[in-house]
Amino acid sequence: MSLILQQLKCSACGAPLKSKERDRMLICSHCGTLSLFAEGRTCPVDFSIAAPKTESIDPAVYIPFWVVEADVAVSHEKISGGGISRKISGKDRMRGMQTFYICAADAVPEENSRVWNMELTINQPELTLIPEFKNGERMVMTMDKETAVNNAEFIFLRYETEIPGTLQELDYDFRVKSTKVLYLPAYKKSSGYQLGV
Ligand SMILES: [Zn+2]
């Protein structure tokens, strides 16, 4: 077995990068580019930053999310005692192209992230994007893309099993079309965080 330690380089300008502990997003002190650290190397990453809705209060942090776009194709399902109720309650089924929001920072309490992931996925937020982190720190991103994709699929399954009636059979394809990183502003609360979008 051999161990090769490679110097991490900025994906834009090639300058050496220093890795903050466990952060998967590495910032270049030379050109300011954020690179994603994955599979032992750095690569360019598609990311955006959302502005806080309330501009008068500075956000404490910008929390990283993976935004997973996937095509959900259900070929077969069997539900006992229900299924129609979902329509009556006005909720749509998750079919076709869906956008999943997955909180990617383990500094966020799970009580927060579990709720956000479902809420943001069901009610897609309307965001104003800004070019840089304004009046708030960038939170360390600890989750890799593969874990985010698994979590997105899990959200789909959780949503399906919450349909009234018992889900007995489900055959589906979960095809990921794109993944990107989105930072959402948040405020600190007595326990955990509140999103500012
Ligand atoms: Zn650079």
Side-chain angles (χ1 to χ4, degrees):
M1 196 177 106
S2 66
L3 182 66
I4 302 164
L5 290 173
Q6 276 180 324
Q7 169 67 56
L8 296 175
K9 288 191 177 117
C10 171
S11 61
C13 76
L17 290 177
K18 278 203 185 106
S19 162
K20 203 172 167 185
E21 202 189 351
R22 298 179 63 236
D23 199 351
R24 293 183 173 275
M25 291 288 264
L26 305 177
I27 191 156
C28 175
S29 57
H30 184 66
C31 73
T33 300
L34 271 177
S35 300
L36 176 69
F37 176 65
E39 291 159 5
R41 61 194 183 85
T42 52
C43 46
V45 59
D46 185 359
F47 78 97
S48 44
I49 307 162
K53 217 167 201 168
T54 313
E55 276 191 42
S56 54
I57 315 164
D58 288 341
V61 284
Y62 288 86
I63 298 178
F65 285 75
W66 279 104
V67 178
V68 178
E69 270 206 319
D71 189 5
V72 180
V74 173
S75 51
H76 169 75
E77 67 180 332
K78 192 172 163 194
I79 299 163
S80 72
I84 279 175
S85 329
R86 170 57 53 94
K87 258 190 179 164
I88 293 167
S89 71
K91 280 188 181 176
D92 290 330
R93 305 293 297 276
M94 282 188 190
R95 299 288 187 271
M97 286 301 288
Q98 300 287 328
T99 307
F100 297 87
Y101 290 78
I102 310 295
C103 182
D106 67 5
V108 173
E110 216 199 310
E111 305 94 83
N112 288 152
S113 56
R114 199 173 345 113
V115 173
W116 295 343
N117 291 352
M118 186 60 92
E119 285 296 312
L120 292 167
T121 298
I122 295 172
N123 307 304
Q124 304 277 311
E126 273 183 44
L127 303 172
T128 307
L129 300 182
I130 46 176
E132 51 196 34
F133 299 97
K134 202 177 147 202
N135 304 335
E137 295 233 332
R138 177 173 61 92
M139 189 182 268
V140 167
M141 183 170 111
T142 48
M143 185 183 286
D144 64 18
K145 190 166 69 182
E146 288 67 32
T147 306
V149 166
N150 287 340
N151 285 359
E153 188 168 337
F154 182 68
I155 285 183
F156 161 66
L157 289 173
R158 212 176 101 201
Y159 191 80
E160 285 295 312
T161 52
E162 280 170 8
I163 296 168
T166 307
L167 182 65
Q168 293 176 320
E169 292 166 20
L170 184 70
D171 294 330
Y172 67 95
D173 257 336
F174 192 88
R175 296 188 206 100
V176 175
K177 298 292 177 184
S178 76
T179 50
K180 55 191 174 188
V181 174
L182 170 70
Y183 285 92
L184 296 182
Y187 306 97
K188 222 169 162 58
K189 296 212 309 183
S190 52
S191 67
Y193 296 90
Q194 179 175 357
L195 287 180
V197 291

